Amino acid sequence: MKTKTRAGCHTFEDFCSLVQDGQKADLIDGVIYMASPDSTEADDLFGWLFFLLYGYVAKKRLGRVFGSRVAFRLDDRHSPEPDLSFLRSECADRIEPGRVEGPPDLAMEIVSPESVERDYKIKRKQYQRAGVSEYWIIDPDEQKVLLLRRNARGRYQEVVPHRGKLYSQALPGFWIDPDWLWHDRPDVLAVLQQLLAE
């Protein structure tokens, strides 16, 4: 199923009025991209990652984790809804009813067949320009995770795994073994306990 787009120069106000509550969509350069429904496999992966991130952030009291229906208003023509996102406690004053003003500190996108170009190219540029510290691209079809981190010049640079693990700087102490994400995922509670024990 292909992503539906509403062409034209839409504003954030248009975005809020045209996209129904509960529908995942992105506003990128004035274009509204409305995502097709998730596959059951993608939904399982989302749930596993959300539980892990939410549990870690809550226990460490680092901030807030949001799922895929929360819009980050970057400006009047750009408002992505990352599949998963993290916002530091210090930025809690930017949380408004129905949206967050400004970028998240970390964004994760789970790639689907219809979102490949959007996740790898369009959103990469959008997140880099907006100042998102880390962008994780999780691609179930390719079974790979690309972690991009902004360098001193404000440009994304790929993070190389260390001993098979990808370590976050936006979430201190948090890491993922990409092999966890594909077949026979380990028990998420056991993984969370392992991360919290370190």
Side-chain angles (χ1 to χ4, degrees), residues 53-54 56-65 86-91 105 170-174 196:
L53 277 170
Y54 189 92
Y56 186 85
V57 167
K59 193 69 176 173
K60 297 274 190 176
R61 298 183 181 193
L62 298 172
R64 293 277 303 272
V65 172
F86 162 70
L87 188 70
R88 292 176 295 127
S89 298
E90 303 92 286
C91 302
D105 294 289
L171 278 173
F174 183 84
L196 292 172

Side-chain angles (χ1 to χ4, degrees), residues 118-130:
R118 193 163 67 254
D119 292 336
Y120 277 103
K121 295 180 181 176
I122 299 172
K123 282 194 170 183
R124 177 178 176 153
K125 289 177 184 173
Q126 184 183 50
Y127 289 147
Q128 179 179 275
R129 186 172 56 240

Side-chain angles (χ1 to χ4, degrees), residues 78-157:
H78 295 88
S79 185
E81 294 182 355
D83 288 323
L84 292 156
S85 55
F86 162 70
L87 188 70
R88 292 176 295 127
S89 298
E90 303 92 286
C91 302
D93 60 331
R94 294 199 280 116
I95 301 171
E96 310 240 344
R99 70 178 182 273
V100 177
E101 288 290 334
D105 294 289
L106 177 152
M108 285 186 178
E109 297 290 358
I110 299 172
V111 180
S112 64
E114 54 84 21
S115 73
V116 173
E117 182 178 5
R118 193 163 67 254
D119 292 336
Y120 277 103
K121 295 180 181 176
I122 299 172
K123 282 194 170 183
R124 177 178 176 153
K125 289 177 184 173
Q126 184 183 50
Y127 289 147
Q128 179 179 275
R129 186 172 56 240
V132 177
S133 300
E134 285 184 0
Y135 178 30
W136 297 63
I137 303 173
I138 299 167
D139 192 331
D141 286 347
E142 296 294 325
Q143 294 191 359
K144 71 177 185 179
V145 178
L146 178 63
L147 169 54
L148 300 167
R149 185 176 296 139
R150 289 181 88 229
N151 61 23
R153 293 178 291 131
R155 300 193 57 80
Y156 278 144
Q157 189 170 345

Side-chain angles (χ1 to χ4, degrees), residues 2-196:
K2 290 191 175 179
T3 302
K4 294 179 182 177
T5 62
R6 292 179 183 262
C9 192
H10 293 292
T11 64
F12 182 74
E13 188 177 330
D14 297 334
F15 181 60
C16 292
S17 65
L18 291 169
V19 178
Q20 296 179 7
D21 192 29
Q23 168 70 51
K24 178 170 169 52
D26 295 295
L27 177 65
I28 302 173
D29 200 23
V31 177
I32 298 174
Y33 295 84
M34 301 179 73
S36 61
D38 285 339
S39 69
T40 54
E41 293 84 4
D43 188 64
D44 285 345
L45 178 56
F46 168 84
W48 193 92
L49 284 165
F50 184 83
F51 185 99
L52 186 64
L53 277 170
Y54 189 92
Y56 186 85
V57 167
K59 193 69 176 173
K60 297 274 190 176
R61 298 183 181 193
L62 298 172
R64 293 277 303 272
V65 172
F66 297 98
S68 60
R69 302 302 187 262
V70 174
F72 285 81
R73 185 183 182 278
L74 307 180
D75 59 40
D76 203 43
R77 296 179 65 230
H78 295 88
S79 185
E81 294 182 355
D83 288 323
L84 292 156
S85 55
F86 162 70
L87 188 70
R88 292 176 295 127
S89 298
E90 303 92 286
C91 302
D93 60 331
R94 294 199 280 116
I95 301 171
E96 310 240 344
R99 70 178 182 273
V100 177
E101 288 290 334
D105 294 289
L106 177 152
M108 285 186 178
E109 297 290 358
I110 299 172
V111 180
S112 64
E114 54 84 21
S115 73
V116 173
E117 182 178 5
R118 193 163 67 254
D119 292 336
Y120 277 103
K121 295 180 181 176
I122 299 172
K123 282 194 170 183
R124 177 178 176 153
K125 289 177 184 173
Q126 184 183 50
Y127 289 147
Q128 179 179 275
R129 186 172 56 240
V132 177
S133 300
E134 285 184 0
Y135 178 30
W136 297 63
I137 303 173
I138 299 167
D139 192 331
D141 286 347
E142 296 294 325
Q143 294 191 359
K144 71 177 185 179
V145 178
L146 178 63
L147 169 54
L148 300 167
R149 185 176 296 139
R150 289 181 88 229
N151 61 23
R153 293 178 291 131
R155 300 193 57 80
Y156 278 144
Q157 189 170 345
E158 184 176 349
V159 176
V160 178
H162 178 67
R163 295 184 182 174
K165 301 171 184 173
L166 287 169
Y167 290 83
S168 175
Q169 281 185 355
L171 278 173
F174 183 84
W175 56 269
I176 285 180
D177 180 339
D179 288 340
W180 288 342
L181 305 182
W182 318 132
H183 308 291
D184 302 320
R185 260 176 238 120
D187 178 75
V188 68
L189 187 54
V191 172
L192 178 58
Q193 289 171 339
Q194 180 183 352
L195 293 178
L196 292 172

